[in-house]
Amino acid sequence: MKTATPDAIVMLKADHHMVQTLCADFEALSDRSKVCKKKLADQICNELRYNWQHCNSA
């Protein structure tokens, strides 16, 4: 099993912060902003999928 390098940890923390920010943006939108919410939800899912794939390939 490989151990994560400090650079990988820094990148993961930055990605986590970005997803948290996207989630906060999503929550701040009104329910009438369905198109914007859909775009943000897609972006959040893509970020999580990207991180999951890279964590599992290590």
Side-chain angles (χ1 to χ4, degrees):
M1 180 173 156
K2 293 181 182 178
T3 57
T5 64
D7 290 336
I9 293 170
V10 169
M11 288 174 45
L12 186 59
K13 285 182 178 183
D15 290 344
H16 180 77
H17 178 71
M18 180 174 35
V19 170
Q20 283 183 315
T21 301
L22 291 170
C23 288
D25 292 347
F26 179 90
E27 291 295 325
L29 291 171
S30 73
D31 288 337
R32 293 176 14 169
S33 303
K34 293 185 188 297
V35 173
C36 290
K37 281 187 133 179
K38 170 73 169 109
K39 287 180 182 178
L40 274 174
D42 289 343
Q43 187 176 357
I44 291 166
C45 289
N46 288 336
E47 291 295 331
L48 293 173
R49 191 176 302 114
Y50 174 83
N51 289 328
W52 181 82
Q53 288 173 342
H54 283 88
C55 286
N56 286 324
S57 66

